[in-house]
Amino acid sequence: MKIAFSKIARTLLVCIFALCIPALLIIDGVHARKYTDLERQVEELEKKQQQLIEENKKLITDISLLSSSERIENLAKDELGMREAESEEIVRVEMSSSSAKGTGN
């Protein structure tokens, strides 16, 4: 009886081992698929990041061109009809610190 139980246990152990190999291969395949999908997502995100960096560089260049003092001066003179103020037209306003504190009352 002891020999029969040992033989059954050994057979059962061999069967379990034989079933574990395909199961482990299936699990490995699932993980490989997930890894491949994640790798593709990373590549897509890196491409998107590079596109956004290039777009940001272009926008920064556009901002610097649009905010140049020379361009603003030309717009003020040509489109708005403005001119540089003469020195006698400039009014300076000074505020003392005591009058600034007293305005809250």
Side-chain angles (χ1 to χ4, degrees), residues 96-105:
S96 64
S97 59
S98 62
S99 64
K101 291 180 185 175
T103 57
N105 291 332

Side-chain angles (χ1 to χ4, degrees), residues 5-21:
F5 180 73
S6 174
K7 193 173 186 180
I8 292 173
R10 183 181 295 163
T11 306
L12 186 61
L13 187 62
V14 169
C15 288
I16 290 173
F17 183 72
L19 291 175
C20 284
I21 292 173

